[in-house]
Amino acid sequence: MQNSATPTHCPYCALQCGMNLTPAADGTVEVTERADFPVNRGALCGKGRTAPAVLSSRVRLTSPLVRSAGALVPASWDEALDRIAEGLARTRAEHGPDAVGVFGGGGLTNEKAYALGKFARVVLGTSQIDYNGRFCMSSAAAAGTKAFGLDRGLPFPLADIPRTGCVILVGSNLAETMPPALRYLTELKDNGGTLIVVDPRRTRTAVQADLHLAPRPGTDLALALGLLHLVVAEGRTDEAYIRERTVGWEEARAAAMAHWPEYVERITGVSVPQLRRAVRMFCEPEAAMVLTARGPEQQSKGTDTVGAWINLCLATGRAGRPRSGYGCLTGQGNGQGGREHGQKADQLPGYRKLTDPAARRHVAGVWGVDPDSLPGPGRSAYELLDALGTDIRSLLLMGSNPVVSAPRAAHVEERVRSLDFLAVCDVVLSETAALADVVLPVTQWAEETGTMTSLEGRVLLRRRAIAPPEGVRSDLEVLHGLAARLGVEKGFPADPEEVFEELRRASAGGPADYSGITYRRLAEENGVFWPCPASPDAAGAAPGGPDARPGGPARDRAPATAAHPGTPRLFLDRFATEDGRARFVPVAHRAAAEEPDEEYPVLLTTGRVVAQYQSGAQTRRVDELNAAAPGPFVELHPRLAARLGAAEGDPVAVVSRRGRAVAPARITTAIRPDTVFMPFHWPGEGRANTLTNPALDPASRMPEFKACAVRLEAVRQ
Ligand SMILES: Nc1nc2c(c(=O)[nH]1)N[C@H]1C(S)=C(S)[C@@H](COP(=O)(O)OP(=O)(O)OC[C@H]3O[C@@H](n4cnc5c(=O)[nH]c(N)nc54)[C@H](O)[C@@H]3O)O[C@H]1N2
Ligand SMILES: Nc1nc2c(c(=O)[nH]1)N[C@H]1C(S)=C(S)[C@@H](COP(=O)(O)OP(=O)(O)OC[C@H]3O[C@@H](n4cnc5c(=O)[nH]c(N)nc54)[C@H](O)[C@@H]3O)O[C@H]1N2
Ligand code: SF4
Ligand SMILES: [Mo]
């Protein structure tokens, strides 16, 4: 164990704030400021600051558990691993390899995500693997790939934000979900730039805005189309840019012209003067950005919605230019890297497609297997969970807690309970782990080394600072042990750097090329932006072949050195499509999968609070965070509350076609009167996902977390 401070990164969100971990006298570690990491410059939110609390043996798992006579009881590692290998092998023998499922997470390091994808395809031979990132930024990923030929959430560093003229922030509550990043918006305003926030609630982020647009949940697509309509009507398009750098404008233009402002006002509730003001603010400065987060993305039309916002950027020449562009604010710690290296249903490492014969040959070569032995694409996350207990009989779960976080959670819970066999690797006994046949206790961020790729596309080294407690092993050791028991002795090293070295080779030449990145460089350079090919001359092979470079030679590239410098800014010279041009998508407004009606007259939307993280499995174990955010609530407008006869703090039942949840009322004029909001961090009676609608986006397979129809009922006490 090191005695001095170890520079590393936060276990939680995609900002991946830098922090130092300093050993304390009692054997624990303390979080101290790490000012040299440029993204957060030492600032942390409460979750990051208190993260060491979850390292304590008082709240975490330190022994494998196996189910015996109905209860989970401690067992040896050998027994637990044997049981898992037997459980998975039995399903495979009885029902075939596709009856074994694997579910991963966007919080896992690149090494783990890579090894998990390889484990599913090579050891289990199953196509049925997906992960919780499907619930997160998949719509933005699908839209970005369609438009730009490549999905890297932010194609520029956060540091560019204060240098642009206007930012439209769509459905992001940054002030609560990435507090240290709020600084970039403050600096934008200090520099004379303007901020537009699009959110049905006047959030802590929205109060920072020069203009707050509060559309009905699920109508961002119409809003973006209405803005584009006005851009055209007011003659604010950038014709030269459209001609030189895009294709498909005519169809997209025609689609937007069908969405005249008064029609858009009726759909969204955003007034025509507000729409005009937004267009003026966005178009007048020389440069501008649109940033989206889960608000517009977690919809059954999320891909088209993001496409519409990208269209707005393309029509005004605000993509692939300095200080301008479209970006998605990815959410989970490794939400970016976790979507690149093969734990996704349709994917091979390096952001390659599982259906591409050349990609299969390349990766099979690295893995030393026959390309024909690799299965094809499998089901998406919700579809996989929905098939548990029927087509999928056994599941290996690593890095997610779907019993709390998946849509239509009561149904998902029932599906999980109906499995023949469930194995969960976790650091704590999550609500999903509590249902398992075998639970494996794994090491955490501060106890293991690995790489994370932040929301900027910056690959980072998260270093080990302390030794794990007795009885705990890493996810990589778990996969190593299971592979050996299932007859694959080689190819699953437990050493993260060894896994990364293989990942480099597997990703080489792919869209997300990491081959020029080494642990050593990461330690020295404070992160490296992908693509970073091994050779400085190859600027990363885009889908269009070796010459189609994602983003082309970046203008801000450092002087030629032996190594490729990485790519902070993409698309400045060309997009990553075959012809280098961005694609407009012709999209039209459509309703949410479930609109309010007489029986369910109110819209429910869901999201986050600053002091809890995701399903809460980790943060609900931290006293300081529980004191700040003790439980679920229903945020509603005074008018709705009055109709219900509910006072502040009274229990309110929210009922949807999926179920019923009860939580105290939090009454505020900060929300639209036709909408209620619930955070999704808690299990039990107040579980928001009991209510949510698993209607899926046809392209991204993202569920509609952000809009469903509900009714409210007073609860007699
Ligand atoms: N404290 C905290 N921080 C987190 C997380 C956490 O759980 N807790 N999770 C991390 C992860 S994985 C993610 S993905 C990010 C998510 O980060 P955000 O996207 O910022 O989080 P959300 O609260 O889900 O949604 C953002 C906003 O969308 C609004 N919204 C709801 N419906 C709509 C709609 O139809 N249209 C629009 N435009 N807006 C809508 C909500 O009111 C909410 O304020 O946060 C990351 N950071
Ligand atoms: N209603 C509603 N539902 C939502 C959303 C919403 O906005 N509204 N947002 C969705 C989004 S964006 C997301 S990202 C999902 C997230 O929801 P989940 O997938 O449930 O995410 P977490 O709660 O982070 O679960 C991670 C689990 O892995 C464990 N863990 C942490 N690190 C490791 C590790 O290194 N190895 C292993 N094996 N385990 C580890 C944690 O203890 C925890 O139990 O929720 C989605 N659900
Ligand atoms: S903003 Fe995100 S990365 Fe930074 S300290 Fe908070 S949870 Fe950690
Ligand atoms: Mo997320």
Side-chain angles (χ1 to χ4, degrees):
M1 203 207 295
Q2 296 88 332
N3 285 320
S4 55
T6 305
T8 190
H9 296 273
C10 177
Y12 300 119
C13 86
L15 204 56
Q16 281 301 290
C17 292
M19 56 170 64
N20 279 329
L21 290 180
T22 308
D26 60 358
T28 61
V29 285
E30 234 178 318
V31 171
T32 50
E33 184 176 304
R34 176 180 169 198
D36 73 313
F37 186 64
V39 176
N40 64 307
R41 290 193 221 145
L44 297 171
C45 78
K47 299 184 297 300
R49 207 168 21 76
T50 59
V54 190
L55 297 167
S56 158
S57 322
R58 281 198 305 278
V59 300
R60 73 182 301 177
L61 296 165
T62 53
S63 166
L65 303 172
V66 299
R67 198 162 291 280
S68 167
L72 283 172
V73 297
S76 72
W77 268 93
D78 274 336
E79 185 190 349
L81 288 170
D82 286 347
R83 280 239 214 160
I84 298 177
E86 279 162 28
L88 302 181
R90 188 176 317 118
T91 295
R92 190 171 57 180
E94 287 173 8
H95 303 279
D98 277 352
V100 181
V102 177
F103 201 92
L108 301 176
T109 60
N110 288 315
E111 292 78 359
K112 295 178 185 187
Y114 171 84
L116 192 64
K118 181 180 177 184
F119 181 83
R121 274 106 186 187
V122 173
V123 179
L124 300 173
T126 182
S127 65
Q128 299 301 308
I129 172 169
D130 210 44
Y131 79 122
N132 66 7
R134 185 74 70 173
F135 297 159
C136 188
M137 51 352 94
S138 60
S139 293
T145 304
K146 239 192 232 180
F148 306 131
L150 184 73
D151 155 47
R152 197 184 84 187
L154 287 175
F156 43 75
L158 286 167
D160 284 3
I161 290 175
R163 300 162 56 220
T164 193
C166 173
V167 171
I168 309 185
L169 189 64
V170 192
S172 156
N173 187 8
L174 203 75
E176 297 215 40
T177 53
M178 296 179 183
L182 195 59
R183 156 168 81 85
Y184 294 100
L185 300 177
T186 315
E187 286 173 13
L188 165 76
K189 293 200 293 174
D190 290 347
N191 292 345
T194 57
L195 174 65
I196 303 173
V197 170
V198 182
D199 196 307
R201 305 156 58 221
R202 193 173 65 249
T203 59
R204 285 189 207 175
T205 312
V207 296
Q208 307 286 326
D210 299 286
L211 176 63
H212 171 208
L213 307 178
R216 282 178 74 228
T219 64
D220 301 81
L221 175 51
L223 184 71
L225 284 161
L227 297 177
L228 184 53
H229 179 111
L230 284 170
V231 163
V232 176
E234 296 178 7
R236 296 181 186 270
T237 52
D238 185 336
E239 295 297 327
Y241 176 95
I242 292 174
R243 216 169 31 246
E244 285 156 25
R245 300 207 54 190
T246 71
V247 294
W249 171 229
E250 275 317 308
E251 294 85 343
R253 182 182 184 280
M257 293 324 282
H259 295 73
W260 33 277
E262 291 75 12
Y263 172 53
V264 168
E265 176 179 308
R266 272 208 309 281
I267 298 169
T268 62
V270 177
S271 72
V272 175
Q274 278 189 314
L275 294 172
R276 286 192 192 283
R277 187 159 162 230
V279 164
R280 214 166 44 239
M281 284 167 66
F282 184 66
C283 293
E284 275 171 5
E286 200 187 314
M289 292 177 179
V290 172
L291 303 175
T292 65
R294 303 307 81 78
E297 299 170 14
Q298 289 174 326
Q299 301 184 12
S300 61
K301 52 177 178 293
T303 305
D304 281 359
T305 301
V306 173
W309 287 102
I310 293 176
N311 285 352
L312 180 70
C313 291
L314 294 176
T316 51
R318 296 175 185 297
R321 278 181 166 172
R323 305 183 296 117
S324 273
Y326 162 77
C328 149
L329 299 167
T330 295
Q332 296 183 83
N334 197 29
Q336 181 66 53
R339 74 200 201 220
E340 299 165 1
H341 299 298
Q343 61 177 330
K344 220 170 140 229
D346 55 355
Q347 190 190 58
L348 288 170
Y351 224 135
R352 288 184 161 94
K353 287 201 180 76
L354 194 45
T355 48
D356 171 1
R360 294 170 69 89
R361 271 196 307 278
H362 171 79
V363 175
V366 174
W367 288 351
V369 299
D370 177 357
D372 292 335
S373 73
L374 297 177
R379 290 178 179 82
S380 77
Y382 178 76
E383 292 164 296
L384 191 158
L385 296 171
D386 188 39
L388 299 182
T390 54
D391 290 352
I392 300 177
R393 321 270 337 165
S394 286
L395 182 72
L396 173 66
L397 179 87
M398 189 179 274
S400 181
N401 186 13
V403 161
V404 177
S405 58
R408 197 187 173 198
H411 171 72
V412 166
E413 179 171 345
E414 184 236 318
R415 293 290 87 218
V416 169
R417 287 177 188 275
S418 73
L419 278 165
D420 294 347
F421 183 79
L422 171 65
V424 175
C425 304
D426 207 310
V427 299
V428 295
L429 192 67
S430 72
E431 286 69 20
T432 310
L435 305 179
D437 297 289
V438 180
V439 183
L440 297 178
V442 295
T443 50
Q444 305 183 40
W445 57 292
E447 301 157 350
E448 56 181 23
T449 293
T451 61
M452 306 285 282
T453 306
S454 80
L455 80 172
E456 296 181 301
R458 190 196 292 256
V459 186
L460 300 163
L461 188 62
R462 199 165 72 182
R463 291 180 187 79
R464 171 176 157 135
I466 52 167
E470 204 63 39
V472 167
R473 293 187 188 173
S474 75
D475 290 301
L476 292 177
E477 285 178 277
V478 168
L479 294 176
H480 172 84
L482 289 178
R485 281 168 175 78
L486 291 163
V488 181
E489 297 288 342
K490 277 212 191 121
F492 292 88
D495 174 43
E497 188 165 4
E498 220 177 301
V499 177
F500 190 79
E501 287 299 310
E502 187 182 304
L503 182 160
R504 289 177 62 197
R505 284 186 281 126
S507 76
D513 191 331
Y514 283 38
S515 58
I517 305 176
T518 59
Y519 270 30
R520 187 162 174 187
R521 268 190 79 173
L522 293 178
E524 285 164 3
E525 293 177 36
N526 244 338
V528 175
F529 291 81
W530 73 257
C532 181
S535 140
D537 309 317
D547 293 329
R549 306 157 158 201
R555 279 176 195 162
D556 59 337
R557 186 169 288 170
T561 55
H564 187 287
T567 316
R569 294 174 184 82
L570 291 163
F571 313 141
L572 289 179
D573 294 325
R574 64 196 317 280
F575 294 97
T577 53
E578 270 184 40
D579 57 10
R581 290 160 183 259
R583 300 283 182 276
F584 279 101
V585 284
V587 289
H589 165 72
R590 58 181 196 272
E594 194 179 64
E595 287 285 341
D597 55 20
E598 266 176 35
E599 217 183 331
Y600 300 96
V602 175
L603 275 166
L604 168 74
T605 191
T606 60
R608 297 162 163 80
V609 297
V610 64
Q612 297 288 352
Y613 190 69
Q614 313 276 62
S615 72
Q618 290 155 286
T619 49
R620 279 186 279 111
R621 287 171 167 82
V622 181
D623 295 341
E624 187 182 328
L625 300 176
N626 284 332
F633 57 85
V634 180
E635 187 177 296
L636 77 172
H637 192 275
R639 250 186 273 164
L640 263 187
R643 224 178 295 159
L644 207 59
E648 179 75 13
D650 284 355
V652 169
V654 184
V655 186
S656 80
R657 289 184 176 84
R658 271 74 51 200
R660 173 189 174 94
V662 179
R666 188 174 286 185
I667 302 172
T668 169
T669 55
I671 189 165
R672 293 174 54 94
D674 56 4
T675 301
V676 296
F677 169 85
M678 289 180 78
F680 77 97
H681 309 294
W682 290 272
E685 197 185 40
R687 177 174 67 184
N689 277 319
T690 301
L691 306 166
T692 47
N693 187 359
L696 301 182
D697 178 283
S700 67
R701 317 308 283 166
M702 163 74 83
E704 191 138 71
F705 287 117
K706 289 295 192 261
C708 74
V710 296
R711 71 165 173 268
L712 306 181
E713 291 170 2
V715 179
R716 302 284 157 244
Q717 282 169 296

